[in-house]
Amino acid sequence: MEQWIAMLLLVSAIWLLQIRKISDSVPILAFQSFILALTAGAMWYQTKLSHLLIAALLTLIVKAIIIPAILHYTIKKIDVHRRVERVTSKYTSLLISIILSVAGFYVTSRLHLPSTKFGAPYLPVSITLVFLGTFIMIDHKKALMQGIGLITIENGLFLVAQSISYGMPMMVELGIFFDMLVTVVIIGILSLRIHSTFESLNIVNMRSLKG
Amino acid sequence: MIKMEEVSLLLIVPLITAVLCWQIKNHRIGEKLQIIGAVLNVFIGLSIARNVFFDAPVTGWHHFIYIDALSAFNVVLIVIIGFVASLYSVGYMRHEVAERIISEEKVRHYYLWFHLFIGTMLAVSVVNNIGLLWVGIELTTLVSALLVAFYRKGTSLEAAWKYLIMGSVGIAFALLGIIFLYLSGVDLFGESAESLNWTVLNRAAGQLNPQWTLIAFIFVLVGFGTKAGLAPMHFWLPDAHSQAPSPVSAVLSGVLLNTALYGIFRIYTIVNAALDGKAAPYLIFFGLFSIAITVTFMLVQHDVKRMLAYSSVEHMGIITLGVGIGGALGLYGAVLHMFNHSMAKSLLFFAAGNINQKYHSKRMERISGVLKTMPVTGSIFLIAAFAITGTPPLSIFVSEFTIMTAGFQSGHLVAIVLFLLFIVLIFSGMTYYVVRMAFGEAPAKLEKKEIDRWSTAALFIPLLAVVIFGLYVPPFFQEIIKQVAFVLQGGKS
């Protein structure tokens, strides 16, 4: 069961590299966060550790509902139908993301990371999510998509902490959720400003600062 | 318990100041109010620091707050530079409004974000939990990104975006490092919030899992190093520091970089004890590399604020090198250098801000004869520039000399020879540009007048420190720096 959930997370991250319109990224991201909430929920069900339930609910509310809502609002203000632009072609990016996934699983198996009983199945995927999130940031040329990559990295880190030790201490976890929320708001504000100044979200336009 | 109330005041005052400045429509009242807030915080900060330096570390709120000499030192720097910058902002913003570059309404937003920014840095310095320290450092990025984007021009948006993205990714790696650090102690203390407390980790440093602490440290060094502008993760820094309004640049260079280093050093202290000193070479390498990178970029600069920003990369490198060399003397030099750099660099950014406003340009080839058009700013700019390049008898020379001596004594011969070579090159590059700006003929259309008395007055406070600390470091201050160095040694001599 856990393997299947983990695979869904992997698919969601690779999917983010295959989309055509920027607006497609929002439901995929919401889906990814929903699955993430599910993993925390499953771990809570198996261990009955109350802070895992809180983490699951917070993930659901903040990451699967509020953050996609903010992104949706931002994209609607810019242009819903705007297409994504990538550095590599669709097939190359698929190839690279598969290579990265294999690398993620390999690295995890070699690291001998200690893990918890119910979190262990998610560990390889969590590391892979960090890799793929980084690749999303590099591959996409639209400013907003870099933000999406950043959220994928954060989702991966959340899962790393979950599978290694059932999450960070509650206070810290809350702080990270808060930071995440503020980050997305600021990504939204800056994207809108970038779009109104450059008439585009393409970061290729932003190359005047050098040296 | 009076101490804890002071700590809450320290964090609440910037918050209240920010909100008040934002809400009060009359901007003449707003700008005075934000100065009052900043002054208040100077008193609170100094009072807390006095308790810590002359009594004992302050701890409270179920150990969530812990202020030792290192934290108090950072708090003092933040409140002082914060105060000078808020004083300077008055003149700077008045001029921007008069030139119709920004509207009065935007000035209110500026003060809002500015004081929130100061507040987040103070929060970073007083928390005990390393996870919360991470949360705080991420918040400083978010708030200051908006300040960098303040002018809403293409270049400032580009800089802010780069800063936000690079800062956040870097810091995500630091979070991974902190997760590993948590892991290295979780067998020892169990899964509680306490096990990420610096005090707990530092006490048990010897028993932590060495493999995990090393991996944790490398991630943290790269992560927070991005924020501190250590090369090769510094690419956002010159952009952000040159595009931000000058008072913000001063705070970014003067104290935000120190705050990021503070994060690295907190974790370094634990890790170095756990690894028996094996973490130090990493600091020496990144420190030297940052200084080396600066040499090449310094010689080809056209923008005065970019040049100052690269000089910050250099000085972060010097501080990191000093801590890496270690020993009582090396750490003493590094901590003194933190203070000296904060003062000299913020002074330079303030003076450069005046110059930019006068010449309507940041390009160095368009600036000449500053001494004639603005005698006060011009001469202070010249003094500060000589200070930052390490000319005796100014303050930076003293700390650089201390680090050098410590390096020779501890046998880091190659590192110190390289260090000397680099700073000589940087000295010649920077002096060339600065002298060209200060002397020479002034453009005929500029009249001889300072920008604003507020922004001129603000220059004198850091100037005092730059000049006095070059000639003489007061004994009480030496004592304070020794205490901070003692914390960096892990509290063991």
Side-chain angles (χ1 to χ4, degrees), chain B residues 346-376:
Chain B
S346 53
L347 179 57
L348 268 171
F349 270 115
F350 293 140
N354 284 349
I355 295 171
N356 298 342
Q357 287 190 323
K358 186 84 182 172
Y359 286 78
H360 302 286
S361 175
K362 287 186 292 190
R363 295 188 70 82
M364 290 191 277
E365 62 263 26
R366 292 195 195 147
I367 301 169
S368 65
V370 179
L371 280 170
K372 284 184 186 139
T373 52
M374 293 194 285
V376 181

PDB file of all heavy atoms in Angstrom, chain B residues 346-376:
ATOM      1  N   SER B 346      28.133  49.372   6.702  1.00  0.00           N
ATOM      2  CA  SER B 346      26.878  50.118   6.685  1.00  0.00           C
ATOM      3  C   SER B 346      27.177  51.601   6.445  1.00  0.00           C
ATOM      4  O   SER B 346      26.468  52.273   5.691  1.00  0.00           O
ATOM      5  CB  SER B 346      26.083  49.910   7.973  1.00  0.00           C
ATOM      6  OG  SER B 346      26.876  50.179   9.089  1.00  0.00           O
ATOM      7  N   LEU B 347      28.266  52.079   7.032  1.00  0.00           N
ATOM      8  CA  LEU B 347      28.676  53.470   6.793  1.00  0.00           C
ATOM      9  C   LEU B 347      28.902  53.719   5.297  1.00  0.00           C
ATOM     10  O   LEU B 347      28.439  54.723   4.739  1.00  0.00           O
ATOM     11  CB  LEU B 347      29.960  53.759   7.578  1.00  0.00           C
ATOM     12  CG  LEU B 347      30.560  55.153   7.428  1.00  0.00           C
ATOM     13  CD1 LEU B 347      29.544  56.200   7.823  1.00  0.00           C
ATOM     14  CD2 LEU B 347      31.800  55.283   8.305  1.00  0.00           C
ATOM     15  N   LEU B 348      29.570  52.781   4.649  1.00  0.00           N
ATOM     16  CA  LEU B 348      29.836  52.933   3.214  1.00  0.00           C
ATOM     17  C   LEU B 348      28.544  52.964   2.404  1.00  0.00           C
ATOM     18  O   LEU B 348      28.398  53.763   1.478  1.00  0.00           O
ATOM     19  CB  LEU B 348      30.712  51.778   2.728  1.00  0.00           C
ATOM     20  CG  LEU B 348      32.206  52.014   2.762  1.00  0.00           C
ATOM     21  CD1 LEU B 348      32.937  50.728   2.479  1.00  0.00           C
ATOM     22  CD2 LEU B 348      32.601  53.071   1.745  1.00  0.00           C
ATOM     23  N   PHE B 349      27.616  52.078   2.734  1.00  0.00           N
ATOM     24  CA  PHE B 349      26.358  52.066   1.990  1.00  0.00           C
ATOM     25  C   PHE B 349      25.562  53.351   2.225  1.00  0.00           C
ATOM     26  O   PHE B 349      24.914  53.850   1.308  1.00  0.00           O
ATOM     27  CB  PHE B 349      25.515  50.842   2.350  1.00  0.00           C
ATOM     28  CG  PHE B 349      25.798  49.656   1.480  1.00  0.00           C
ATOM     29  CD1 PHE B 349      26.356  48.511   2.001  1.00  0.00           C
ATOM     30  CD2 PHE B 349      25.515  49.681   0.121  1.00  0.00           C
ATOM     31  CE1 PHE B 349      26.631  47.417   1.203  1.00  0.00           C
ATOM     32  CE2 PHE B 349      25.772  48.597  -0.698  1.00  0.00           C
ATOM     33  CZ  PHE B 349      26.329  47.460  -0.145  1.00  0.00           C
ATOM     34  N   PHE B 350      25.604  53.868   3.453  1.00  0.00           N
ATOM     35  CA  PHE B 350      24.901  55.136   3.709  1.00  0.00           C
ATOM     36  C   PHE B 350      25.515  56.247   2.864  1.00  0.00           C
ATOM     37  O   PHE B 350      24.807  57.004   2.190  1.00  0.00           O
ATOM     38  CB  PHE B 350      24.990  55.532   5.188  1.00  0.00           C
ATOM     39  CG  PHE B 350      24.234  54.608   6.109  1.00  0.00           C
ATOM     40  CD1 PHE B 350      24.764  54.239   7.339  1.00  0.00           C
ATOM     41  CD2 PHE B 350      22.989  54.126   5.757  1.00  0.00           C
ATOM     42  CE1 PHE B 350      24.080  53.394   8.191  1.00  0.00           C
ATOM     43  CE2 PHE B 350      22.300  53.265   6.605  1.00  0.00           C
ATOM     44  CZ  PHE B 350      22.843  52.908   7.823  1.00  0.00           C
ATOM     45  N   ALA B 351      26.850  56.315   2.892  1.00  0.00           N
ATOM     46  CA  ALA B 351      27.514  57.373   2.129  1.00  0.00           C
ATOM     47  C   ALA B 351      27.270  57.189   0.639  1.00  0.00           C
ATOM     48  O   ALA B 351      26.971  58.156  -0.085  1.00  0.00           O
ATOM     49  CB  ALA B 351      29.013  57.354   2.426  1.00  0.00           C
ATOM     50  N   ALA B 352      27.324  55.931   0.170  1.00  0.00           N
ATOM     51  CA  ALA B 352      27.096  55.670  -1.252  1.00  0.00           C
ATOM     52  C   ALA B 352      25.668  56.062  -1.631  1.00  0.00           C
ATOM     53  O   ALA B 352      25.427  56.561  -2.738  1.00  0.00           O
ATOM     54  CB  ALA B 352      27.332  54.195  -1.562  1.00  0.00           C
ATOM     55  N   GLY B 353      24.720  55.848  -0.697  1.00  0.00           N
ATOM     56  CA  GLY B 353      23.337  56.241  -0.963  1.00  0.00           C
ATOM     57  C   GLY B 353      23.235  57.738  -1.189  1.00  0.00           C
ATOM     58  O   GLY B 353      22.583  58.199  -2.135  1.00  0.00           O
ATOM     59  N   ASN B 354      23.903  58.522  -0.332  1.00  0.00           N
ATOM     60  CA  ASN B 354      23.918  59.977  -0.520  1.00  0.00           C
ATOM     61  C   ASN B 354      24.500  60.346  -1.882  1.00  0.00           C
ATOM     62  O   ASN B 354      23.968  61.207  -2.588  1.00  0.00           O
ATOM     63  CB  ASN B 354      24.772  60.646   0.561  1.00  0.00           C
ATOM     64  CG  ASN B 354      24.051  60.707   1.893  1.00  0.00           C
ATOM     65  OD1 ASN B 354      22.854  60.429   1.951  1.00  0.00           O
ATOM     66  ND2 ASN B 354      24.762  61.056   2.945  1.00  0.00           N
ATOM     67  N   ILE B 355      25.606  59.684  -2.232  1.00  0.00           N
ATOM     68  CA  ILE B 355      26.268  59.996  -3.494  1.00  0.00           C
ATOM     69  C   ILE B 355      25.355  59.672  -4.676  1.00  0.00           C
ATOM     70  O   ILE B 355      25.198  60.467  -5.600  1.00  0.00           O
ATOM     71  CB  ILE B 355      27.605  59.223  -3.603  1.00  0.00           C
ATOM     72  CG1 ILE B 355      28.563  59.706  -2.512  1.00  0.00           C
ATOM     73  CG2 ILE B 355      28.238  59.407  -4.977  1.00  0.00           C
ATOM     74  CD1 ILE B 355      29.817  58.891  -2.379  1.00  0.00           C
ATOM     75  N   ASN B 356      24.704  58.487  -4.611  1.00  0.00           N
ATOM     76  CA  ASN B 356      23.808  58.112  -5.709  1.00  0.00           C
ATOM     77  C   ASN B 356      22.687  59.111  -5.885  1.00  0.00           C
ATOM     78  O   ASN B 356      22.296  59.440  -6.996  1.00  0.00           O
ATOM     79  CB  ASN B 356      23.171  56.746  -5.455  1.00  0.00           C
ATOM     80  CG  ASN B 356      24.200  55.658  -5.375  1.00  0.00           C
ATOM     81  OD1 ASN B 356      25.321  55.840  -5.822  1.00  0.00           O
ATOM     82  ND2 ASN B 356      23.835  54.533  -4.784  1.00  0.00           N
ATOM     83  N   GLN B 357      22.139  59.551  -4.755  1.00  0.00           N
ATOM     84  CA  GLN B 357      21.022  60.491  -4.862  1.00  0.00           C
ATOM     85  C   GLN B 357      21.493  61.816  -5.448  1.00  0.00           C
ATOM     86  O   GLN B 357      20.778  62.457  -6.200  1.00  0.00           O
ATOM     87  CB  GLN B 357      20.388  60.703  -3.495  1.00  0.00           C
ATOM     88  CG  GLN B 357      19.587  59.493  -3.054  1.00  0.00           C
ATOM     89  CD  GLN B 357      18.761  59.745  -1.818  1.00  0.00           C
ATOM     90  OE1 GLN B 357      19.184  60.454  -0.908  1.00  0.00           O
ATOM     91  NE2 GLN B 357      17.585  59.151  -1.759  1.00  0.00           N
ATOM     92  N   LYS B 358      22.711  62.199  -5.100  1.00  0.00           N
ATOM     93  CA  LYS B 358      23.241  63.457  -5.614  1.00  0.00           C
ATOM     94  C   LYS B 358      23.527  63.366  -7.111  1.00  0.00           C
ATOM     95  O   LYS B 358      23.163  64.246  -7.879  1.00  0.00           O
ATOM     96  CB  LYS B 358      24.546  63.775  -4.867  1.00  0.00           C
ATOM     97  CG  LYS B 358      25.136  65.120  -5.192  1.00  0.00           C
ATOM     98  CD  LYS B 358      24.477  66.180  -4.337  1.00  0.00           C
ATOM     99  CE  LYS B 358      24.984  67.566  -4.656  1.00  0.00           C
ATOM    100  NZ  LYS B 358      24.173  68.558  -3.927  1.00  0.00           N
ATOM    101  N   TYR B 359      24.167  62.281  -7.534  1.00  0.00           N
ATOM    102  CA  TYR B 359      24.601  62.161  -8.930  1.00  0.00           C
ATOM    103  C   TYR B 359      23.567  61.470  -9.815  1.00  0.00           C
ATOM    104  O   TYR B 359      23.788  61.309 -11.005  1.00  0.00           O
ATOM    105  CB  TYR B 359      25.935  61.394  -9.003  1.00  0.00           C
ATOM    106  CG  TYR B 359      27.116  62.211  -8.542  1.00  0.00           C
ATOM    107  CD1 TYR B 359      27.353  62.404  -7.189  1.00  0.00           C
ATOM    108  CD2 TYR B 359      27.981  62.803  -9.444  1.00  0.00           C
ATOM    109  CE1 TYR B 359      28.414  63.155  -6.743  1.00  0.00           C
ATOM    110  CE2 TYR B 359      29.049  63.562  -9.014  1.00  0.00           C
ATOM    111  CZ  TYR B 359      29.261  63.736  -7.653  1.00  0.00           C
ATOM    112  OH  TYR B 359      30.320  64.486  -7.228  1.00  0.00           O
ATOM    113  N   HIS B 360      22.470  61.015  -9.206  1.00  0.00           N
ATOM    114  CA  HIS B 360      21.432  60.278  -9.930  1.00  0.00           C
ATOM    115  C   HIS B 360      21.998  59.094 -10.695  1.00  0.00           C
ATOM    116  O   HIS B 360      21.542  58.769 -11.781  1.00  0.00           O
ATOM    117  CB  HIS B 360      20.694  61.196 -10.921  1.00  0.00           C
ATOM    118  CG  HIS B 360      20.075  62.370 -10.244  1.00  0.00           C
ATOM    119  ND1 HIS B 360      18.944  62.262  -9.475  1.00  0.00           N
ATOM    120  CD2 HIS B 360      20.439  63.671 -10.195  1.00  0.00           C
ATOM    121  CE1 HIS B 360      18.631  63.441  -8.977  1.00  0.00           C
ATOM    122  NE2 HIS B 360      19.536  64.310  -9.390  1.00  0.00           N
ATOM    123  N   SER B 361      23.007  58.484 -10.145  1.00  0.00           N
ATOM    124  CA  SER B 361      23.606  57.338 -10.835  1.00  0.00           C
ATOM    125  C   SER B 361      24.407  56.514  -9.844  1.00  0.00           C
ATOM    126  O   SER B 361      24.900  57.018  -8.844  1.00  0.00           O
ATOM    127  CB  SER B 361      24.523  57.822 -11.952  1.00  0.00           C
ATOM    128  OG  SER B 361      25.177  56.717 -12.523  1.00  0.00           O
ATOM    129  N   LYS B 362      24.489  55.220 -10.154  1.00  0.00           N
ATOM    130  CA  LYS B 362      25.353  54.356  -9.354  1.00  0.00           C
ATOM    131  C   LYS B 362      26.624  54.014 -10.114  1.00  0.00           C
ATOM    132  O   LYS B 362      27.499  53.353  -9.599  1.00  0.00           O
ATOM    133  CB  LYS B 362      24.610  53.058  -8.997  1.00  0.00           C
ATOM    134  CG  LYS B 362      23.537  53.254  -7.947  1.00  0.00           C
ATOM    135  CD  LYS B 362      22.928  51.946  -7.511  1.00  0.00           C
ATOM    136  CE  LYS B 362      22.130  51.319  -8.619  1.00  0.00           C
ATOM    137  NZ  LYS B 362      21.321  50.172  -8.173  1.00  0.00           N
ATOM    138  N   ARG B 363      26.694  54.440 -11.363  1.00  0.00           N
ATOM    139  CA  ARG B 363      27.856  54.091 -12.191  1.00  0.00           C
ATOM    140  C   ARG B 363      29.052  54.944 -11.801  1.00  0.00           C
ATOM    141  O   ARG B 363      28.985  56.166 -11.773  1.00  0.00           O
ATOM    142  CB  ARG B 363      27.530  54.263 -13.670  1.00  0.00           C
ATOM    143  CG  ARG B 363      26.458  53.298 -14.136  1.00  0.00           C
ATOM    144  CD  ARG B 363      26.288  53.364 -15.634  1.00  0.00           C
ATOM    145  NE  ARG B 363      27.438  52.793 -16.330  1.00  0.00           N
ATOM    146  CZ  ARG B 363      27.612  51.488 -16.540  1.00  0.00           C
ATOM    147  NH1 ARG B 363      26.724  50.641 -16.090  1.00  0.00           N
ATOM    148  NH2 ARG B 363      28.655  51.045 -17.186  1.00  0.00           N
ATOM    149  N   MET B 364      30.170  54.259 -11.539  1.00  0.00           N
ATOM    150  CA  MET B 364      31.298  54.968 -10.942  1.00  0.00           C
ATOM    151  C   MET B 364      31.957  55.945 -11.910  1.00  0.00           C
ATOM    152  O   MET B 364      32.509  56.945 -11.484  1.00  0.00           O
ATOM    153  CB  MET B 364      32.320  53.964 -10.412  1.00  0.00           C
ATOM    154  CG  MET B 364      31.787  53.230  -9.207  1.00  0.00           C
ATOM    155  SD  MET B 364      33.018  52.278  -8.341  1.00  0.00           S
ATOM    156  CE  MET B 364      33.066  50.794  -9.281  1.00  0.00           C
ATOM    157  N   GLU B 365      31.860  55.661 -13.225  1.00  0.00           N
ATOM    158  CA  GLU B 365      32.514  56.596 -14.150  1.00  0.00           C
ATOM    159  C   GLU B 365      31.768  57.927 -14.244  1.00  0.00           C
ATOM    160  O   GLU B 365      32.313  58.918 -14.714  1.00  0.00           O
ATOM    161  CB  GLU B 365      32.707  55.963 -15.536  1.00  0.00           C
ATOM    162  CG  GLU B 365      31.442  55.568 -16.253  1.00  0.00           C
ATOM    163  CD  GLU B 365      31.117  54.088 -16.060  1.00  0.00           C
ATOM    164  OE1 GLU B 365      31.555  53.523 -15.036  1.00  0.00           O
ATOM    165  OE2 GLU B 365      30.421  53.518 -16.918  1.00  0.00           O
ATOM    166  N   ARG B 366      30.504  57.947 -13.794  1.00  0.00           N
ATOM    167  CA  ARG B 366      29.765  59.210 -13.831  1.00  0.00           C
ATOM    168  C   ARG B 366      29.909  60.001 -12.537  1.00  0.00           C
ATOM    169  O   ARG B 366      29.337  61.069 -12.390  1.00  0.00           O
ATOM    170  CB  ARG B 366      28.278  58.937 -14.066  1.00  0.00           C
ATOM    171  CG  ARG B 366      28.030  58.396 -15.435  1.00  0.00           C
ATOM    172  CD  ARG B 366      26.579  58.470 -15.787  1.00  0.00           C
ATOM    173  NE  ARG B 366      26.340  57.631 -16.949  1.00  0.00           N
ATOM    174  CZ  ARG B 366      25.231  56.965 -17.186  1.00  0.00           C
ATOM    175  NH1 ARG B 366      24.209  57.070 -16.349  1.00  0.00           N
ATOM    176  NH2 ARG B 366      25.099  56.224 -18.259  1.00  0.00           N
ATOM    177  N   ILE B 367      30.601  59.422 -11.575  1.00  0.00           N
ATOM    178  CA  ILE B 367      30.738  60.092 -10.277  1.00  0.00           C
ATOM    179  C   ILE B 367      32.174  60.593 -10.136  1.00  0.00           C
ATOM    180  O   ILE B 367      33.119  59.814 -10.237  1.00  0.00           O
ATOM    181  CB  ILE B 367      30.413  59.108  -9.133  1.00  0.00           C
ATOM    182  CG1 ILE B 367      28.983  58.588  -9.289  1.00  0.00           C
ATOM    183  CG2 ILE B 367      30.586  59.779  -7.790  1.00  0.00           C
ATOM    184  CD1 ILE B 367      28.645  57.426  -8.387  1.00  0.00           C
ATOM    185  N   SER B 368      32.310  61.883  -9.939  1.00  0.00           N
ATOM    186  CA  SER B 368      33.648  62.402  -9.630  1.00  0.00           C
ATOM    187  C   SER B 368      33.507  63.677  -8.803  1.00  0.00           C
ATOM    188  O   SER B 368      32.466  64.333  -8.835  1.00  0.00           O
ATOM    189  CB  SER B 368      34.429  62.682 -10.918  1.00  0.00           C
ATOM    190  OG  SER B 368      33.776  63.712 -11.621  1.00  0.00           O
ATOM    191  N   GLY B 369      34.546  63.965  -8.048  1.00  0.00           N
ATOM    192  CA  GLY B 369      34.552  65.183  -7.258  1.00  0.00           C
ATOM    193  C   GLY B 369      33.541  65.197  -6.115  1.00  0.00           C
ATOM    194  O   GLY B 369      32.998  66.243  -5.780  1.00  0.00           O
ATOM    195  N   VAL B 370      33.323  64.033  -5.518  1.00  0.00           N
ATOM    196  CA  VAL B 370      32.364  63.977  -4.405  1.00  0.00           C
ATOM    197  C   VAL B 370      32.812  64.890  -3.260  1.00  0.00           C
ATOM    198  O   VAL B 370      31.995  65.535  -2.606  1.00  0.00           O
ATOM    199  CB  VAL B 370      32.201  62.528  -3.901  1.00  0.00           C
ATOM    200  CG1 VAL B 370      31.238  62.468  -2.739  1.00  0.00           C
ATOM    201  CG2 VAL B 370      31.716  61.635  -5.021  1.00  0.00           C
ATOM    202  N   LEU B 371      34.126  64.976  -3.057  1.00  0.00           N
ATOM    203  CA  LEU B 371      34.634  65.822  -1.966  1.00  0.00           C
ATOM    204  C   LEU B 371      34.230  67.278  -2.163  1.00  0.00           C
ATOM    205  O   LEU B 371      34.059  68.021  -1.197  1.00  0.00           O
ATOM    206  CB  LEU B 371      36.151  65.717  -1.888  1.00  0.00           C
ATOM    207  CG  LEU B 371      36.680  64.474  -1.171  1.00  0.00           C
ATOM    208  CD1 LEU B 371      38.173  64.354  -1.357  1.00  0.00           C
ATOM    209  CD2 LEU B 371      36.310  64.497   0.293  1.00  0.00           C
ATOM    210  N   LYS B 372      34.080  67.693  -3.421  1.00  0.00           N
ATOM    211  CA  LYS B 372      33.707  69.084  -3.668  1.00  0.00           C
ATOM    212  C   LYS B 372      32.213  69.302  -3.548  1.00  0.00           C
ATOM    213  O   LYS B 372      31.755  70.307  -3.014  1.00  0.00           O
ATOM    214  CB  LYS B 372      34.169  69.499  -5.065  1.00  0.00           C
ATOM    215  CG  LYS B 372      35.650  69.748  -5.104  1.00  0.00           C
ATOM    216  CD  LYS B 372      36.093  70.259  -6.456  1.00  0.00           C
ATOM    217  CE  LYS B 372      37.610  70.336  -6.473  1.00  0.00           C
ATOM    218  NZ  LYS B 372      38.152  69.873  -7.750  1.00  0.00           N
ATOM    219  N   THR B 373      31.406  68.365  -4.076  1.00  0.00           N
ATOM    220  CA  THR B 373      29.957  68.579  -4.047  1.00  0.00           C
ATOM    221  C   THR B 373      29.373  68.303  -2.672  1.00  0.00           C
ATOM    222  O   THR B 373      28.434  68.964  -2.248  1.00  0.00           O
ATOM    223  CB  THR B 373      29.250  67.671  -5.065  1.00  0.00           C
ATOM    224  OG1 THR B 373      29.679  66.329  -4.858  1.00  0.00           O
ATOM    225  CG2 THR B 373      29.567  68.080  -6.475  1.00  0.00           C
ATOM    226  N   MET B 374      29.896  67.295  -1.997  1.00  0.00           N
ATOM    227  CA  MET B 374      29.383  66.966  -0.665  1.00  0.00           C
ATOM    228  C   MET B 374      30.566  66.743   0.269  1.00  0.00           C
ATOM    229  O   MET B 374      30.990  65.603   0.470  1.00  0.00           O
ATOM    230  CB  MET B 374      28.528  65.698  -0.730  1.00  0.00           C
ATOM    231  CG  MET B 374      27.238  65.868  -1.500  1.00  0.00           C
ATOM    232  SD  MET B 374      26.117  64.504  -1.203  1.00  0.00           S
ATOM    233  CE  MET B 374      26.880  63.228  -2.158  1.00  0.00           C
ATOM    234  N   PRO B 375      31.112  67.808   0.844  1.00  0.00           N
ATOM    235  CA  PRO B 375      32.353  67.663   1.634  1.00  0.00           C
ATOM    236  C   PRO B 375      32.221  66.659   2.779  1.00  0.00           C
ATOM    237  O   PRO B 375      33.140  65.863   3.001  1.00  0.00           O
ATOM    238  CB  PRO B 375      32.591  69.081   2.178  1.00  0.00           C
ATOM    239  CG  PRO B 375      31.786  69.975   1.321  1.00  0.00           C
ATOM    240  CD  PRO B 375      30.635  69.193   0.805  1.00  0.00           C
ATOM    241  N   VAL B 376      31.096  66.678   3.492  1.00  0.00           N
ATOM    242  CA  VAL B 376      30.965  65.791   4.653  1.00  0.00           C
ATOM    243  C   VAL B 376      30.850  64.342   4.198  1.00  0.00           C
ATOM    244  O   VAL B 376      31.654  63.481   4.587  1.00  0.00           O
ATOM    245  CB  VAL B 376      29.736  66.182   5.504  1.00  0.00           C
ATOM    246  CG1 VAL B 376      29.638  65.272   6.705  1.00  0.00           C
ATOM    247  CG2 VAL B 376      29.818  67.639   5.922  1.00  0.00           C
TER     248      VAL B 376
END
